[in-house]
């Protein structure tokens, strides 16, 4: 069962409300989905006082709680929603944003099942993060969901190379190279290390221990790490 919860409407930028702060749930904040110009609160069911002097598309609403625990963003202002007596009304709040994410999870789960893939919810959430539009706020980066991109898997695999030291001196120490690959639909991946003359030294997957005995030439060695996914996206990352 996936639990998607609104982050709260208190204008916090350093934390989100309970129960959205529970690590087992998906916490969702609100953005504008059109250029509204000026927006001021309290308004609708938003009790706090705040002002967005320039409320543009994909701006985080001033009432939305954000912070390190926030998972995703979705439209949450001027949303046409069901109301009492079989009616519809325009509403705002992170409670309007959360259903966008819940519906997206169901839609993607249904799509993947239809094409024969058994994808768990944690990977779907990661897919929404990887393919969403990047929104920067108070030193943090969030993803505003983009279901079209998620369905079409536009995200390249993440490849990260870490080296225990930039220089390996003769008879001084060993050097460890570690490579991590990440993608919801990760398919193939490997890493090469080449001599300064570009001749292949060796190939490995995730970890390689080097000593000076392995290195027969002085100079700059190059590490090339590559990964692709089942949808044809690929990433080649190099480091020297």
């Amino acid at each position: 069962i996936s639990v998607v919860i609104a982050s709260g409407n208190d204008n916090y930028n350093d934390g989100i409300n309970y129960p959205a702060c529970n690590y087992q749930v998906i916490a969702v904040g609100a953005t504008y989905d059109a250029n509204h110009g000026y927006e001021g609160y309290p308004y609708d069911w938003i009790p706090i006082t705040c002002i967005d002097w320039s409320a543009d598309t994909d701006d985080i609403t001033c009432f939305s709680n954000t912070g390190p625990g926030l998972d995703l963003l979705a439209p949450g202002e001027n949303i046409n929603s069901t109301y009492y007596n079989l009616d519809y009304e325009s509403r705002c709040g992170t409670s309007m944003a959360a259903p966008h994410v819940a519906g997206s999870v169901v839609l993607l789960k249904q799509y993947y099942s239809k094409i024969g893939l058994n994808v768990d919810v944690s990977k779907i959430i990661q897919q929404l993060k990887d393919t969403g539009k990047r929104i920067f706020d108070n030193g943090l980066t969030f993803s505003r969901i983009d279901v079209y991109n998620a369905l079409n898997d536009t995200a390249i695999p993440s490849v990260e190379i870490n080296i225990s030291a930039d220089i390996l001196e003769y008879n001084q120490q060993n050097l460890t190279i570690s490579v991590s690959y990440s993608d919801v639909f990760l398919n193939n991946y490997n890493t090469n290390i080449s001599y300064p003359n570009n001749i292949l030294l060796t190939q490995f997957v995730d970890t390689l221990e080097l000593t000076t005995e392995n290195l027969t030439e002085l100079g700059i060695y190059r590490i090339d790490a590559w990964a692709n996914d089942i949808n044809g996206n690929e990433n080649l990352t190099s480091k020297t």
Side-chain angles (χ1 to χ4, degrees):
I1 297 175
S2 306
V3 181
V4 181
I5 299 180
S7 66
N9 306 313
D10 304 290
N11 190 27
Y12 300 152
N13 59 22
D14 58 356
I16 58 179
N17 283 357
Y18 178 85
C21 59
N22 191 307
Y23 74 95
Q24 294 177 313
V25 306
I26 304 158
V28 182
T31 62
Y32 293 99
D33 66 345
N35 294 328
H36 290 262
Y38 168 91
E39 287 287 353
Y41 305 89
Y43 169 72
D44 198 4
W45 54 26
I46 306 300
I48 56 94
T49 299
C50 69
I51 295 174
D52 280 321
W53 294 103
S54 178
D56 294 330
T57 303
D58 290 327
D59 283 351
I60 298 175
T61 61
C62 67
F63 58 77
S64 178
N65 291 348
T66 61
L70 188 69
D71 294 302
L72 291 165
L73 293 167
E77 210 282 337
N78 197 27
I79 303 301
N80 190 36
S81 177
T82 52
Y83 199 62
Y84 299 114
N85 299 320
L86 303 177
D87 200 3
Y88 287 85
E89 284 198 6
S90 179
R91 290 288 184 172
C92 60
T94 54
S95 292
M96 296 292 101
H100 284 82
V101 173
S104 298
V105 171
V106 173
L107 178 65
L108 290 168
K109 185 73 172 175
Q110 182 184 46
Y111 169 74
Y112 295 140
S113 296
K114 187 175 181 179
I115 63 175
L117 295 175
N118 183 20
V119 181
D120 62 40
V121 172
S122 64
K123 289 187 175 182
I124 291 176
I125 295 301
Q126 189 60 51
Q127 181 76 343
L128 288 169
K129 290 180 179 180
D130 291 344
T131 59
K133 180 175 181 179
R134 297 292 182 265
I135 308 295
F136 304 97
D137 184 70
N138 288 305
L140 298 174
T141 304
F142 306 104
S143 286
R144 191 267 290 146
I145 61 169
D146 187 324
V147 180
Y148 179 84
N149 280 349
L151 285 169
N152 288 278
D153 187 22
T154 60
I156 65 172
S158 171
V159 178
E160 184 175 354
I161 303 172
N162 291 294
I163 307 175
S164 59
D166 291 331
I167 298 174
L168 179 60
E169 297 182 7
Y170 187 70
N171 287 334
Q172 293 297 312
Q173 80 264 10
N174 294 341
L175 184 144
T176 302
I177 303 171
S178 58
V179 184
S180 61
Y181 317 86
S182 177
D183 190 272
V184 174
F185 302 109
L186 190 63
N187 187 29
N188 297 307
Y189 46 92
N190 63 61
T191 298
N192 298 331
I193 181 168
S194 300
Y195 289 103
N197 61 6
N198 293 323
I199 294 176
L200 179 66
L201 168 61
T202 190
Q203 185 178 78
F204 65 101
V205 175
D206 48 19
T207 304
L208 178 67
E209 295 284 344
L210 278 179
T211 67
T212 52
E213 296 174 354
N214 301 125
L215 309 180
T216 59
E217 292 185 24
L218 295 176
I220 298 174
Y221 289 70
R222 192 182 76 250
I223 305 161
D224 296 311
W226 172 85
N228 74 351
D229 63 23
I230 63 174
N231 296 309
N233 302 303
E234 61 181 348
N235 182 6
L236 176 63
T237 298
S238 298
K239 196 167 186 177
T240 55

